[in-house]
Amino acid sequence: MATKRKRMGEFADRSRARRRALQALYQWAMTGHEADAICRQFIAAQDMRRVNVGYFKDLVVKTLDKRAEIEAKLAAHLDRDLERLDPMEAAILRLAAYELLFRPEVPFRAVIDEAVGLGQDFGSDQTPTYVNGVLDRCAAAWREAEYGTAR
């Protein structure tokens, strides 16, 4: 029982890390500041006690480090240029695309569910549906074997 509770705590800590990472990616989109500077600012200014800080840093730094590749791969699944999306939608998609492409240990359904939840919390009324559709197409293309067995 303790192991299951510990794993649930880890999932919650990662979920909180995604939430903070999304806010940091949005801040980057608005300011253009360096990823490391944004991470330091978040760690100093936000309540990070129940956040997996290592995962938070990984999400922010690596999403921005791999931004060109992520955006190029996302482009094939979007109905418009990423620059024309609402900045919050673009941040959600970048974050989730990073996990789909570079964190194969995270199930694609978990990535999509988390992204849709972030869209509900931070986006417009249409954001969750749009994010779900885009990421479902991405998962089908990028995680073909996992996606196929899940259907």
Side-chain angles (χ1 to χ4, degrees):
M1 185 62 122
T3 303
K4 184 175 181 180
R5 203 171 298 135
K6 182 180 179 204
R7 289 198 66 205
M8 292 303 290
E10 289 172 17
F11 293 138
D13 292 351
R14 279 190 169 198
S15 189
R16 285 188 280 277
R18 286 183 190 96
R19 184 177 193 85
R20 292 288 191 226
L22 173 63
Q23 293 168 320
L25 291 172
Y26 181 80
Q27 180 176 330
W28 167 83
M30 297 294 104
T31 66
H33 292 154
E34 295 291 321
D36 288 333
I38 292 172
C39 287
R40 282 192 306 274
Q41 183 269 326
F42 261 75
I43 291 167
Q46 301 292 323
D47 179 5
M48 302 290 276
R49 285 177 293 182
R50 295 177 58 207
V51 174
N52 181 329
V53 175
Y55 202 67
F56 161 78
K57 288 179 186 176
D58 179 77
L59 291 173
V60 175
V61 171
K62 291 183 180 171
T63 297
L64 293 177
D65 282 349
K66 298 179 179 299
R67 184 171 58 95
E69 182 179 353
I70 289 167
E71 290 177 0
K73 291 187 178 202
L74 267 173
H77 304 285
L78 298 173
D79 60 350
R80 57 188 167 260
D81 291 336
L82 192 64
E83 297 79 36
R84 292 186 56 219
L85 292 178
D86 172 81
M88 187 55 73
E89 286 179 353
I92 292 168
L93 291 172
R94 283 185 187 105
L95 177 64
Y98 166 73
E99 284 194 288
L100 286 173
L101 290 165
F102 300 105
R103 299 302 299 243
E105 75 280 6
V106 181
F108 81 89
R109 285 188 175 167
V111 173
I112 294 172
D113 287 348
E114 289 278 334
V116 168
L118 290 170
Q120 290 168 340
D121 292 343
F122 293 103
S124 70
D125 290 343
Q126 295 79 30
T127 298
T129 303
Y130 185 73
V131 164
N132 186 59
V134 170
L135 294 177
D136 189 64
R137 290 189 297 275
C138 292
W142 302 341
R143 295 208 185 168
E144 192 174 344
E146 181 187 1
Y147 189 88
T149 59
R151 289 287 172 191

